[in-house]
Amino acid sequence: MSTPSTTSPPHRRRNHSTNPFRKAALIAGGCLALGGVIAIFAGEAWLESYLQSTEFRQRVEAGLGGHLYADIQIAPFKREGISLFSDSLDSEGREGAAYKQLKLRSLRADLNLGALWHRAWRVDFMNVQQLDLNLDVHPTSPNSTDAAPLAPKPSGWLASLLPNHTEIGTLKAERSAIQKGQVQAQQVRLTATQNKEDWDILAEGGELQIPGLPTLEISNAKMVLHQKALILRNSRFLFKKGGETTITGELSDATGVALDAHLENVNIDPFLSNWWQTRIKGNVQGDLRYKVPAGKPTESVLEGTIQLKGGKLEAFPILSHIDTFLGNPRFRSVPLKTASAHILVTKERAIIRDLDLDGDGLMRITGNIVIEGSKLQGTIQLGLSPSLIQWLPGTQTKIFTDKRDGYVWTSIQLSGTTNNPMEDLSEKLLLMGKDAVINTIKSVVPSGLPTPDPTKAQEAAKGVLDTLKAVIPGR
């Protein structure tokens, strides 16, 4: 009897691919991966659409408006990567704003998408081709309000995800025009970085115009822009004809303008009219203060003390007349050992006080001068070396009567205009010469003969002076 076979049936290999749970997991994973890819593209497409939407632009306008206390309008955005582009941004400052008007042209803003996690629209860097900024206070309208314009509120789940505030990093402007009252800057390169509520600003290049001063080239200007004030800190400017100035001060809506300028080796030509530029030479140094009270732009004042280094008087009118009478060629060009004055310039007049020009032993001029428009008036003292007038009899007893500081002095009254100055010294010298001739003639003419004609005596006086010139030493 045969024994039944006890051999086990062959072992069948388990097919995991037929495991319903495994299959479901693979399908689910693939779906999630595909869903993630779709979500990424969908999210990017949504972000692309949202960043270029009117709703987003209005939110940016409202966010910036609330941040800057301004009403803002921005041209439609275009997006490339993390950068947004717009043709223009126009802003009108409201009450409490740091400016009256701001215009940006051709701007690019680089977004920091990581700030979205903190619910912030953060612009790390903004570049603009043209910036126009008026820092005057915007006039308050009876219907004005401090409230910022409201941004459209997203509905549904977006309300809890979208940013609720705006942050700005650095702004760079390739060309800028800035105005504060009568102070203006043109073609300036600006770099501005936000520091809490203020802006730290670096200005380079371009020109600065301050009333009473020649146009300045901007080397570098460091500024801080508060809500209602612009502060300059050791800002360096160059004069086109040589020299430089360092300006520190504040332009404030509350107190007005107060700028302190230190001048160093500045050519005097830009401070003079054309007529005087050929007659006074040298470089100016000193300290000036420019002030404008708040709300009173016509009451500007420029005041300070200046010195003239390497100064020289060339064919100076009064000295030219002295040269005519004394015949000393050194008066045609007089180097100045020292020269200083206190100046005060307002809208109505320019006042030169404590004028002191020292010709190093040859002559000295002191006094005060007032210029109203082009009208010139004033009183100066002219001191000459006693040895120079010894050849003109009577001058030390009738004209140069004051002796001090090694000079003999006379008082001179100024009149005329800045382009046609007049003085009374020449007439005094001419009259003295005429009287000297008449007295001389009287002393030699027998009694009973007629007195010489004054006109002829004056002509004779000129002839005597011309004769004296020929024998004066140094001629």
Side-chain angles (χ1 to χ4, degrees), residues 354-400:
D354 303 325
L355 176 67
D356 191 351
L357 309 178
D358 187 352
D360 196 16
L362 180 65
M363 66 94 221
R364 188 172 178 181
I365 297 176
T366 63
N368 302 305
I369 301 173
V370 177
I371 302 171
E372 295 190 42
S374 61
K375 185 179 178 181
L376 177 67
Q377 60 181 337
T379 301
I380 63 173
Q381 304 293 318
L382 172 63
L384 296 178
S385 171
S387 63
L388 295 174
I389 61 171
Q390 62 180 327
W391 299 98
L392 292 179
T395 54
Q396 294 194 45
T397 59
K398 294 183 178 180
I399 300 179
F400 293 90

mmCIF file of all heavy atoms in Angstrom, residues 354-400:
data_model
loop_
_atom_site.group_PDB
_atom_site.id
_atom_site.type_symbol
_atom_site.label_atom_id
_atom_site.label_comp_id
_atom_site.label_asym_id
_atom_site.label_seq_id
_atom_site.Cartn_x
_atom_site.Cartn_y
_atom_site.Cartn_z
ATOM 1 N N ASP A 354 32.756 147.125 10.410
ATOM 2 C CA ASP A 354 34.105 146.799 10.904
ATOM 3 C C ASP A 354 35.039 146.407 9.762
ATOM 4 O O ASP A 354 35.872 145.508 9.907
ATOM 5 C CB ASP A 354 34.036 145.677 11.941
ATOM 6 C CG ASP A 354 33.126 146.019 13.116
ATOM 7 O OD1 ASP A 354 33.096 147.202 13.500
ATOM 8 O OD2 ASP A 354 32.446 145.106 13.619
ATOM 9 N N LEU A 355 34.895 147.066 8.632
ATOM 10 C CA LEU A 355 35.797 146.838 7.510
ATOM 11 C C LEU A 355 37.215 147.235 7.909
ATOM 12 O O LEU A 355 37.439 148.308 8.474
ATOM 13 C CB LEU A 355 35.345 147.654 6.306
ATOM 14 C CG LEU A 355 36.235 147.619 5.060
ATOM 15 C CD1 LEU A 355 36.219 146.228 4.447
ATOM 16 C CD2 LEU A 355 35.795 148.665 4.046
ATOM 17 N N ASP A 356 38.178 146.399 7.616
ATOM 18 C CA ASP A 356 39.577 146.683 7.964
ATOM 19 C C ASP A 356 40.482 146.078 6.901
ATOM 20 O O ASP A 356 40.648 144.858 6.824
ATOM 21 C CB ASP A 356 39.909 146.112 9.340
ATOM 22 C CG ASP A 356 41.259 146.598 9.856
ATOM 23 O OD1 ASP A 356 42.006 147.232 9.084
ATOM 24 O OD2 ASP A 356 41.565 146.347 11.034
ATOM 25 N N LEU A 357 41.041 146.952 6.048
ATOM 26 C CA LEU A 357 41.964 146.543 4.998
ATOM 27 C C LEU A 357 43.328 147.131 5.317
ATOM 28 O O LEU A 357 43.494 148.354 5.335
ATOM 29 C CB LEU A 357 41.492 147.032 3.625
ATOM 30 C CG LEU A 357 40.037 146.709 3.234
ATOM 31 C CD1 LEU A 357 39.714 147.312 1.879
ATOM 32 C CD2 LEU A 357 39.800 145.212 3.237
ATOM 33 N N ASP A 358 44.308 146.283 5.574
ATOM 34 C CA ASP A 358 45.642 146.729 5.990
ATOM 35 C C ASP A 358 46.631 146.501 4.864
ATOM 36 O O ASP A 358 46.934 145.360 4.493
ATOM 37 C CB ASP A 358 46.069 145.964 7.240
ATOM 38 C CG ASP A 358 47.370 146.495 7.829
ATOM 39 O OD1 ASP A 358 48.005 147.352 7.187
ATOM 40 O OD2 ASP A 358 47.742 146.055 8.934
ATOM 41 N N GLY A 359 47.128 147.627 4.295
ATOM 42 C CA GLY A 359 48.083 147.562 3.194
ATOM 43 C C GLY A 359 49.523 147.471 3.642
ATOM 44 O O GLY A 359 50.422 147.859 2.868
ATOM 45 N N ASP A 360 49.766 146.973 4.838
ATOM 46 C CA ASP A 360 51.119 146.670 5.335
ATOM 47 C C ASP A 360 52.049 147.884 5.259
ATOM 48 O O ASP A 360 53.096 147.859 4.602
ATOM 49 C CB ASP A 360 51.717 145.501 4.553
ATOM 50 C CG ASP A 360 52.935 144.903 5.277
ATOM 51 O OD1 ASP A 360 53.104 145.194 6.478
ATOM 52 O OD2 ASP A 360 53.689 144.155 4.638
ATOM 53 N N GLY A 361 51.662 148.947 5.962
ATOM 54 C CA GLY A 361 52.520 150.111 6.065
ATOM 55 C C GLY A 361 52.289 151.160 5.007
ATOM 56 O O GLY A 361 52.678 152.319 5.168
ATOM 57 N N LEU A 362 51.661 150.794 3.891
ATOM 58 C CA LEU A 362 51.401 151.757 2.819
ATOM 59 C C LEU A 362 50.110 152.527 3.071
ATOM 60 O O LEU A 362 50.066 153.757 2.974
ATOM 61 C CB LEU A 362 51.318 151.037 1.477
ATOM 62 C CG LEU A 362 51.060 151.930 0.256
ATOM 63 C CD1 LEU A 362 52.244 152.866 0.032
ATOM 64 C CD2 LEU A 362 50.817 151.061 -0.982
ATOM 65 N N MET A 363 49.061 151.836 3.408
ATOM 66 C CA MET A 363 47.768 152.467 3.668
ATOM 67 C C MET A 363 46.892 151.498 4.467
ATOM 68 O O MET A 363 47.163 150.307 4.582
ATOM 69 C CB MET A 363 47.082 152.868 2.377
ATOM 70 C CG MET A 363 46.661 151.728 1.479
ATOM 71 S SD MET A 363 44.955 151.243 1.766
ATOM 72 C CE MET A 363 45.079 149.459 1.698
ATOM 73 N N ARG A 364 45.799 152.043 5.005
ATOM 74 C CA ARG A 364 44.834 151.224 5.742
ATOM 75 C C ARG A 364 43.458 151.851 5.574
ATOM 76 O O ARG A 364 43.325 153.083 5.595
ATOM 77 C CB ARG A 364 45.206 151.132 7.217
ATOM 78 C CG ARG A 364 44.359 150.131 8.001
ATOM 79 C CD ARG A 364 44.910 149.947 9.401
ATOM 80 N NE ARG A 364 44.104 149.027 10.189
ATOM 81 C CZ ARG A 364 44.359 148.710 11.461
ATOM 82 N NH1 ARG A 364 45.423 149.255 12.078
ATOM 83 N NH2 ARG A 364 43.584 147.864 12.100
ATOM 84 N N ILE A 365 42.432 151.006 5.385
ATOM 85 C CA ILE A 365 41.056 151.466 5.223
ATOM 86 C C ILE A 365 40.190 150.789 6.283
ATOM 87 O O ILE A 365 40.210 149.560 6.421
ATOM 88 C CB ILE A 365 40.516 151.150 3.820
ATOM 89 C CG1 ILE A 365 41.321 151.904 2.754
ATOM 90 C CG2 ILE A 365 39.038 151.521 3.719
ATOM 91 C CD1 ILE A 365 40.909 151.558 1.340
ATOM 92 N N THR A 366 39.411 151.576 7.029
ATOM 93 C CA THR A 366 38.456 151.045 8.002
ATOM 94 C C THR A 366 37.126 151.770 7.817
ATOM 95 O O THR A 366 37.065 152.829 7.184
ATOM 96 C CB THR A 366 38.946 151.241 9.448
ATOM 97 O OG1 THR A 366 39.048 152.644 9.727
ATOM 98 C CG2 THR A 366 40.303 150.581 9.667
ATOM 99 N N GLY A 367 36.049 151.181 8.371
ATOM 100 C CA GLY A 367 34.770 151.880 8.311
ATOM 101 C C GLY A 367 33.591 150.973 8.082
ATOM 102 O O GLY A 367 33.675 149.745 8.240
ATOM 103 N N ASN A 368 32.467 151.586 7.689
ATOM 104 C CA ASN A 368 31.203 150.881 7.490
ATOM 105 C C ASN A 368 30.585 151.318 6.166
ATOM 106 O O ASN A 368 30.659 152.506 5.796
ATOM 107 C CB ASN A 368 30.229 151.182 8.631
ATOM 108 C CG ASN A 368 30.801 150.812 9.987
ATOM 109 O OD1 ASN A 368 31.210 149.681 10.194
ATOM 110 N ND2 ASN A 368 30.848 151.778 10.899
ATOM 111 N N ILE A 369 29.980 150.364 5.471
ATOM 112 C CA ILE A 369 29.371 150.634 4.167
ATOM 113 C C ILE A 369 27.983 150.003 4.134
ATOM 114 O O ILE A 369 27.789 148.885 4.625
ATOM 115 C CB ILE A 369 30.229 150.066 3.027
ATOM 116 C CG1 ILE A 369 31.637 150.676 3.060
ATOM 117 C CG2 ILE A 369 29.576 150.316 1.673
ATOM 118 C CD1 ILE A 369 32.600 150.029 2.070
ATOM 119 N N VAL A 370 27.014 150.725 3.530
ATOM 120 C CA VAL A 370 25.650 150.210 3.369
ATOM 121 C C VAL A 370 25.295 150.234 1.888
ATOM 122 O O VAL A 370 25.514 151.237 1.202
ATOM 123 C CB VAL A 370 24.634 151.051 4.170
ATOM 124 C CG1 VAL A 370 23.218 150.534 3.932
ATOM 125 C CG2 VAL A 370 24.978 151.022 5.654
ATOM 126 N N ILE A 371 24.745 149.121 1.407
ATOM 127 C CA ILE A 371 24.309 149.013 0.017
ATOM 128 C C ILE A 371 22.824 148.669 0.011
ATOM 129 O O ILE A 371 22.412 147.626 0.527
ATOM 130 C CB ILE A 371 25.098 147.929 -0.738
ATOM 131 C CG1 ILE A 371 26.604 148.230 -0.689
ATOM 132 C CG2 ILE A 371 24.617 147.819 -2.171
ATOM 133 C CD1 ILE A 371 27.464 147.110 -1.221
ATOM 134 N N GLU A 372 22.009 149.562 -0.549
ATOM 135 C CA GLU A 372 20.572 149.321 -0.692
ATOM 136 C C GLU A 372 20.248 149.251 -2.174
ATOM 137 O O GLU A 372 20.299 150.261 -2.869
ATOM 138 C CB GLU A 372 19.767 150.431 -0.015
ATOM 139 C CG GLU A 372 19.949 150.469 1.501
ATOM 140 C CD GLU A 372 18.960 151.403 2.172
ATOM 141 O OE1 GLU A 372 17.781 151.385 1.769
ATOM 142 O OE2 GLU A 372 19.364 152.133 3.081
ATOM 143 N N GLY A 373 19.910 148.063 -2.637
ATOM 144 C CA GLY A 373 19.780 147.858 -4.066
ATOM 145 C C GLY A 373 21.148 148.040 -4.689
ATOM 146 O O GLY A 373 22.074 147.285 -4.393
ATOM 147 N N SER A 374 21.298 149.066 -5.509
ATOM 148 C CA SER A 374 22.614 149.389 -6.059
ATOM 149 C C SER A 374 23.174 150.678 -5.458
ATOM 150 O O SER A 374 24.297 151.078 -5.773
ATOM 151 C CB SER A 374 22.528 149.531 -7.581
ATOM 152 O OG SER A 374 21.648 150.588 -7.938
ATOM 153 N N LYS A 375 22.393 151.297 -4.577
ATOM 154 C CA LYS A 375 22.816 152.563 -3.977
ATOM 155 C C LYS A 375 23.884 152.324 -2.919
ATOM 156 O O LYS A 375 23.741 151.463 -2.054
ATOM 157 C CB LYS A 375 21.617 153.275 -3.366
ATOM 158 C CG LYS A 375 21.932 154.659 -2.819
ATOM 159 C CD LYS A 375 20.691 155.305 -2.246
ATOM 160 C CE LYS A 375 21.002 156.679 -1.648
ATOM 161 N NZ LYS A 375 19.786 157.312 -1.072
ATOM 162 N N LEU A 376 24.935 153.124 -2.984
ATOM 163 C CA LEU A 376 26.079 152.962 -2.084
ATOM 164 C C LEU A 376 26.190 154.171 -1.164
ATOM 165 O O LEU A 376 26.090 155.321 -1.610
ATOM 166 C CB LEU A 376 27.359 152.822 -2.912
ATOM 167 C CG LEU A 376 28.692 152.705 -2.162
ATOM 168 C CD1 LEU A 376 28.748 151.395 -1.403
ATOM 169 C CD2 LEU A 376 29.858 152.810 -3.144
ATOM 170 N N GLN A 377 26.394 153.917 0.126
ATOM 171 C CA GLN A 377 26.645 154.987 1.072
ATOM 172 C C GLN A 377 27.468 154.438 2.227
ATOM 173 O O GLN A 377 27.492 153.244 2.482
ATOM 174 C CB GLN A 377 25.340 155.597 1.580
ATOM 175 C CG GLN A 377 24.429 154.603 2.288
ATOM 176 C CD GLN A 377 23.131 155.241 2.754
ATOM 177 O OE1 GLN A 377 23.068 156.456 2.931
ATOM 178 N NE2 GLN A 377 22.110 154.439 2.934
ATOM 179 N N GLY A 378 28.135 155.352 2.911
ATOM 180 C CA GLY A 378 28.946 154.917 4.038
ATOM 181 C C GLY A 378 30.047 155.915 4.347
ATOM 182 O O GLY A 378 30.271 156.889 3.610
ATOM 183 N N THR A 379 30.729 155.652 5.441
ATOM 184 C CA THR A 379 31.854 156.475 5.865
ATOM 185 C C THR A 379 33.028 155.555 6.154
ATOM 186 O O THR A 379 32.898 154.596 6.920
ATOM 187 C CB THR A 379 31.514 157.286 7.120
ATOM 188 O OG1 THR A 379 30.385 158.127 6.849
ATOM 189 C CG2 THR A 379 32.688 158.156 7.541
ATOM 190 N N ILE A 380 34.165 155.849 5.538
ATOM 191 C CA ILE A 380 35.358 155.059 5.800
ATOM 192 C C ILE A 380 36.495 155.988 6.207
ATOM 193 O O ILE A 380 36.471 157.195 5.932
ATOM 194 C CB ILE A 380 35.778 154.229 4.569
ATOM 195 C CG1 ILE A 380 36.155 155.140 3.392
ATOM 196 C CG2 ILE A 380 34.681 153.248 4.181
ATOM 197 C CD1 ILE A 380 36.732 154.395 2.209
ATOM 198 N N GLN A 381 37.456 155.416 6.876
ATOM 199 C CA GLN A 381 38.660 156.136 7.266
ATOM 200 C C GLN A 381 39.823 155.613 6.427
ATOM 201 O O GLN A 381 40.024 154.403 6.336
ATOM 202 C CB GLN A 381 38.949 155.920 8.750
ATOM 203 C CG GLN A 381 37.818 156.307 9.688
ATOM 204 C CD GLN A 381 37.566 157.797 9.692
ATOM 205 O OE1 GLN A 381 38.514 158.583 9.697
ATOM 206 N NE2 GLN A 381 36.291 158.193 9.696
ATOM 207 N N LEU A 382 40.553 156.546 5.816
ATOM 208 C CA LEU A 382 41.720 156.177 5.015
ATOM 209 C C LEU A 382 42.976 156.665 5.732
ATOM 210 O O LEU A 382 43.115 157.857 6.022
ATOM 211 C CB LEU A 382 41.652 156.804 3.620
ATOM 212 C CG LEU A 382 42.911 156.648 2.748
ATOM 213 C CD1 LEU A 382 43.169 155.174 2.448
ATOM 214 C CD2 LEU A 382 42.783 157.452 1.452
ATOM 215 N N GLY A 383 43.878 155.732 6.009
ATOM 216 C CA GLY A 383 45.146 156.084 6.612
ATOM 217 C C GLY A 383 46.281 155.861 5.630
ATOM 218 O O GLY A 383 46.348 154.816 4.982
ATOM 219 N N LEU A 384 47.167 156.873 5.498
ATOM 220 C CA LEU A 384 48.311 156.768 4.598
ATOM 221 C C LEU A 384 49.598 156.944 5.391
ATOM 222 O O LEU A 384 49.618 157.573 6.460
ATOM 223 C CB LEU A 384 48.234 157.839 3.501
ATOM 224 C CG LEU A 384 47.055 157.768 2.530
ATOM 225 C CD1 LEU A 384 47.134 158.934 1.546
ATOM 226 C CD2 LEU A 384 47.016 156.448 1.798
ATOM 227 N N SER A 385 50.649 156.421 4.851
ATOM 228 C CA SER A 385 51.966 156.636 5.459
ATOM 229 C C SER A 385 52.323 158.113 5.384
ATOM 230 O O SER A 385 52.199 158.738 4.321
ATOM 231 C CB SER A 385 53.016 155.797 4.721
ATOM 232 O OG SER A 385 54.313 156.141 5.153
ATOM 233 N N PRO A 386 52.760 158.729 6.488
ATOM 234 C CA PRO A 386 53.089 160.176 6.479
ATOM 235 C C PRO A 386 54.113 160.539 5.424
ATOM 236 O O PRO A 386 54.071 161.648 4.873
ATOM 237 C CB PRO A 386 53.619 160.411 7.897
ATOM 238 C CG PRO A 386 53.022 159.326 8.720
ATOM 239 C CD PRO A 386 52.923 158.137 7.822
ATOM 240 N N SER A 387 55.016 159.634 5.112
ATOM 241 C CA SER A 387 56.066 159.957 4.143
ATOM 242 C C SER A 387 55.520 160.147 2.736
ATOM 243 O O SER A 387 56.163 160.780 1.898
ATOM 244 C CB SER A 387 57.129 158.851 4.135
ATOM 245 O OG SER A 387 56.556 157.618 3.721
ATOM 246 N N LEU A 388 54.310 159.621 2.469
ATOM 247 C CA LEU A 388 53.762 159.705 1.118
ATOM 248 C C LEU A 388 53.098 161.038 0.819
ATOM 249 O O LEU A 388 52.923 161.387 -0.343
ATOM 250 C CB LEU A 388 52.754 158.569 0.885
ATOM 251 C CG LEU A 388 53.327 157.149 0.908
ATOM 252 C CD1 LEU A 388 52.199 156.133 0.807
ATOM 253 C CD2 LEU A 388 54.317 156.961 -0.237
ATOM 254 N N ILE A 389 52.669 161.766 1.831
ATOM 255 C CA ILE A 389 51.934 163.008 1.578
ATOM 256 C C ILE A 389 52.739 164.233 1.969
ATOM 257 O O ILE A 389 52.216 165.350 1.934
ATOM 258 C CB ILE A 389 50.588 163.005 2.341
ATOM 259 C CG1 ILE A 389 50.828 162.917 3.838
ATOM 260 C CG2 ILE A 389 49.687 161.893 1.852
ATOM 261 C CD1 ILE A 389 49.561 163.124 4.641
ATOM 262 N N GLN A 390 54.003 164.049 2.311
ATOM 263 C CA GLN A 390 54.809 165.198 2.717
ATOM 264 C C GLN A 390 55.059 166.162 1.570
ATOM 265 O O GLN A 390 55.408 167.325 1.781
ATOM 266 C CB GLN A 390 56.147 164.717 3.288
ATOM 267 C CG GLN A 390 57.005 163.942 2.294
ATOM 268 C CD GLN A 390 58.320 163.491 2.890
ATOM 269 O OE1 GLN A 390 58.882 164.185 3.733
ATOM 270 N NE2 GLN A 390 58.791 162.320 2.472
ATOM 271 N N TRP A 391 54.880 165.684 0.330
ATOM 272 C CA TRP A 391 55.125 166.543 -0.820
ATOM 273 C C TRP A 391 53.892 167.361 -1.202
ATOM 274 O O TRP A 391 53.967 168.147 -2.140
ATOM 275 C CB TRP A 391 55.567 165.687 -2.011
ATOM 276 C CG TRP A 391 56.832 164.944 -1.718
ATOM 277 C CD1 TRP A 391 56.952 163.660 -1.315
ATOM 278 C CD2 TRP A 391 58.146 165.478 -1.755
ATOM 279 N NE1 TRP A 391 58.260 163.331 -1.100
ATOM 280 C CE2 TRP A 391 59.037 164.442 -1.370
ATOM 281 C CE3 TRP A 391 58.692 166.740 -2.072
ATOM 282 C CZ2 TRP A 391 60.404 164.610 -1.300
ATOM 283 C CZ3 TRP A 391 60.061 166.906 -2.014
ATOM 284 C CH2 TRP A 391 60.908 165.847 -1.623
ATOM 285 N N LEU A 392 52.789 167.177 -0.510
ATOM 286 C CA LEU A 392 51.587 167.981 -0.767
ATOM 287 C C LEU A 392 51.366 168.904 0.426
ATOM 288 O O LEU A 392 50.830 168.476 1.455
ATOM 289 C CB LEU A 392 50.360 167.088 -0.991
ATOM 290 C CG LEU A 392 50.361 166.251 -2.261
ATOM 291 C CD1 LEU A 392 49.105 165.399 -2.335
ATOM 292 C CD2 LEU A 392 50.474 167.135 -3.498
ATOM 293 N N PRO A 393 51.764 170.147 0.347
ATOM 294 C CA PRO A 393 51.670 171.078 1.475
ATOM 295 C C PRO A 393 50.226 171.212 1.962
ATOM 296 O O PRO A 393 49.284 171.301 1.180
ATOM 297 C CB PRO A 393 52.189 172.401 0.898
ATOM 298 C CG PRO A 393 53.012 171.998 -0.273
ATOM 299 C CD PRO A 393 52.367 170.776 -0.833
ATOM 300 N N GLY A 394 50.054 171.196 3.257
ATOM 301 C CA GLY A 394 48.757 171.447 3.859
ATOM 302 C C GLY A 394 47.899 170.230 4.072
ATOM 303 O O GLY A 394 46.883 170.300 4.771
ATOM 304 N N THR A 395 48.251 169.085 3.488
ATOM 305 C CA THR A 395 47.383 167.909 3.634
ATOM 306 C C THR A 395 47.308 167.423 5.073
ATOM 307 O O THR A 395 46.259 166.950 5.517
ATOM 308 C CB THR A 395 47.886 166.768 2.731
ATOM 309 O OG1 THR A 395 49.264 166.508 3.020
ATOM 310 C CG2 THR A 395 47.710 167.114 1.270
ATOM 311 N N GLN A 396 48.397 167.527 5.817
ATOM 312 C CA GLN A 396 48.376 167.019 7.191
ATOM 313 C C GLN A 396 47.706 167.986 8.153
ATOM 314 O O GLN A 396 47.417 167.622 9.291
ATOM 315 C CB GLN A 396 49.800 166.718 7.654
ATOM 316 C CG GLN A 396 50.446 165.577 6.894
ATOM 317 C CD GLN A 396 51.693 165.066 7.578
ATOM 318 O OE1 GLN A 396 51.714 164.869 8.787
ATOM 319 N NE2 GLN A 396 52.745 164.833 6.804
ATOM 320 N N THR A 397 47.459 169.211 7.726
ATOM 321 C CA THR A 397 46.766 170.173 8.585
ATOM 322 C C THR A 397 45.312 170.373 8.180
ATOM 323 O O THR A 397 44.500 170.821 8.984
ATOM 324 C CB THR A 397 47.490 171.533 8.541
ATOM 325 O OG1 THR A 397 47.522 172.002 7.184
ATOM 326 C CG2 THR A 397 48.890 171.407 9.094
ATOM 327 N N LYS A 398 44.955 170.015 6.920
ATOM 328 C CA LYS A 398 43.597 170.256 6.447
ATOM 329 C C LYS A 398 42.830 168.977 6.092
ATOM 330 O O LYS A 398 41.601 168.985 6.080
ATOM 331 C CB LYS A 398 43.635 171.176 5.228
ATOM 332 C CG LYS A 398 44.140 172.574 5.539
ATOM 333 C CD LYS A 398 44.072 173.454 4.311
ATOM 334 C CE LYS A 398 44.535 174.869 4.622
ATOM 335 N NZ LYS A 398 44.477 175.769 3.440
ATOM 336 N N ILE A 399 43.539 167.906 5.743
ATOM 337 C CA ILE A 399 42.841 166.687 5.301
ATOM 338 C C ILE A 399 43.215 165.502 6.181
ATOM 339 O O ILE A 399 42.359 164.937 6.880
ATOM 340 C CB ILE A 399 43.149 166.393 3.818
ATOM 341 C CG1 ILE A 399 42.684 167.552 2.935
ATOM 342 C CG2 ILE A 399 42.461 165.097 3.386
ATOM 343 C CD1 ILE A 399 42.971 167.364 1.460
ATOM 344 N N PHE A 400 44.469 165.113 6.172
ATOM 345 C CA PHE A 400 44.926 163.979 6.982
ATOM 346 C C PHE A 400 45.364 164.506 8.355
ATOM 347 O O PHE A 400 46.532 164.699 8.630
ATOM 348 C CB PHE A 400 46.074 163.262 6.276
ATOM 349 C CG PHE A 400 45.664 162.580 4.991
ATOM 350 C CD1 PHE A 400 45.716 163.273 3.781
ATOM 351 C CD2 PHE A 400 45.200 161.273 5.000
ATOM 352 C CE1 PHE A 400 45.329 162.653 2.603
ATOM 353 C CE2 PHE A 400 44.815 160.653 3.822
ATOM 354 C CZ PHE A 400 44.869 161.351 2.616
#
